[in-house]
Amino acid sequence: MTALLTIILPFFNEKGWIGTTIDSLAAQSDPRFRLLLIDNGSTDAGADEARTHAFPLEERATILPCPTPGKIHAMAHGLDHVTTPLVAICDADTRYPPDYVRRIIELFENHDDAAAVMAIDLYAPETNSQSRERIAFILRKSRRFAGKCHAGGYAQAFRADALRAAGGFDVKRWPYVLEDHEIVHRVMAHGRAVYHPSHVCFPSDRRASRTAVSWTRGERLLYRYTPRAAMNWYFYRFLGRRLAARNSMGIALRRKDWSFPNA
């Protein structure tokens, strides 16, 4: 069966987390995908855990080393090995429902003008009232602010040709955190982003503090209301300089300030 989607899953010291994520990908109802596990210089047993849990995928799963520290480097290394028309980014601490791959493929097939397909992040079962409210909230935002990103890097899929035409994952252009929003800004010059109420994923809420890896309320509001024509200014003259001033570089994502499962 021909693969249509490549999933890039970068990881660094994710022992205790990555196995559950890979299990959820191995359980996908649509097998038309490849999994590239990018080991970004792990020093724990995460690579062994990844290899064990990826075993059921057989030749559809590959572990590639990328010793240069930083998630952007790992994603760029993964993109170099993508040969499918679609590519998705997954995180090592996120659970993906069994129809995740199928919905990505279907949404791209049903929307010729889409350069990206975004999942909605939930933190409770889909039937939970909190989850229903979040789905409705994200869909409203995606309609009102259609030119902006409303999904984290754990929930993004792209047409590979659009991602490459936008410059791909480029640490020289953007060495900071929030690379998920910056890359979507560039990709959306090549097509729109599609959201669907049934396309969801379940990230962990493990990070105790996001101060070093996030933005301020004012920066978020300005992002939301800045016109599309001014978004280059927003990222490359405003936000980038502010992130640099507080040393919010992409390498900050490697800090592990959470407890491990069942600790």
Side-chain angles (χ1 to χ4, degrees):
M1 184 174 293
T2 302
L4 299 178
L5 171 71
T6 299
I7 296 173
I8 299 174
L9 199 166
F11 68 95
F12 168 72
N13 286 2
E14 293 288 354
K15 181 181 182 296
W17 298 93
I18 195 169
T20 299
T21 294
I22 296 174
D23 288 347
S24 72
L25 295 173
Q28 291 298 303
S29 61
D30 192 326
R32 293 175 294 172
F33 71 96
R34 296 177 60 222
L35 176 60
L36 293 181
L37 295 150
I38 313 298
D39 183 358
N40 196 205
S42 295
T43 59
D44 67 357
D48 292 334
E49 182 175 330
R51 189 173 294 105
T52 298
H53 287 261
F55 182 78
L57 290 168
E58 299 179 332
E59 71 278 357
R60 289 192 290 137
T62 304
I63 297 181
L64 297 174
C66 177
T68 305
K71 183 180 179 181
I72 299 178
H73 291 290
M75 292 188 296
H77 185 62
L79 185 59
D80 287 342
H81 291 79
V82 170
T83 58
T84 55
L86 306 175
V87 56
I89 307 299
C90 289
D91 272 6
D93 65 342
T94 301
R95 181 173 58 83
Y96 297 92
D99 60 356
Y100 191 79
V101 167
R102 178 177 64 84
R103 290 201 182 278
I104 289 174
I105 294 172
E106 287 182 350
L107 287 169
F108 276 117
E109 290 178 342
N110 294 334
H111 297 86
D112 292 339
D113 59 341
V117 163
M118 303 295 188
I120 299 171
D121 55 312
L122 301 181
Y123 301 88
E126 288 181 76
T127 55
N128 185 283
S129 60
Q130 175 187 355
S131 293
R132 293 197 300 270
E133 290 172 4
R134 177 157 182 80
I135 290 170
F137 171 67
I138 295 297
L139 292 177
R140 285 196 304 271
K141 282 209 309 179
S142 71
R143 290 189 293 267
R144 183 178 179 188
F145 305 102
K148 306 299 171 61
C149 174
H150 308 287
Y154 44 77
Q156 299 177 348
F158 306 99
R159 294 195 192 276
D161 57 355
L163 180 56
R164 291 191 175 102
F169 303 105
D170 185 356
V171 72
K172 293 181 180 179
R173 186 193 307 254
W174 191 260
Y176 315 111
V177 297
L178 300 172
E179 80 289 334
D180 46 3
H181 285 67
E182 189 271 341
I183 189 63
V184 170
H185 158 63
R186 288 189 277 122
V187 169
M188 288 186 72
H190 301 273
R192 71 187 184 100
V194 171
Y195 297 78
H196 189 279
S198 296
H199 187 45
V200 303
C201 63
F202 299 88
S204 74
D205 192 17
R206 65 185 182 176
R207 193 176 288 275
S209 172
R210 300 196 62 84
T211 302
V213 299
S214 191
W215 42 9
T216 66
R217 183 173 184 273
E219 290 163 354
R220 288 197 304 270
L221 289 173
L222 187 58
Y223 170 77
R224 183 181 301 177
Y225 291 103
T226 297
R228 174 72 189 171
M231 288 307 294
N232 277 346
W233 166 85
Y234 175 83
F235 276 106
Y236 309 122
R237 298 188 63 185
F238 172 73
L239 184 61
R241 292 178 179 178
R242 291 172 66 91
L243 293 175
R246 56 182 188 259
N247 200 32
S248 293
M249 313 303 286
I251 200 74
L253 295 168
R254 293 167 76 85
R255 300 172 190 164
K256 308 296 185 182
D257 58 357
W258 51 77
S259 298
F260 288 97
N262 303 317

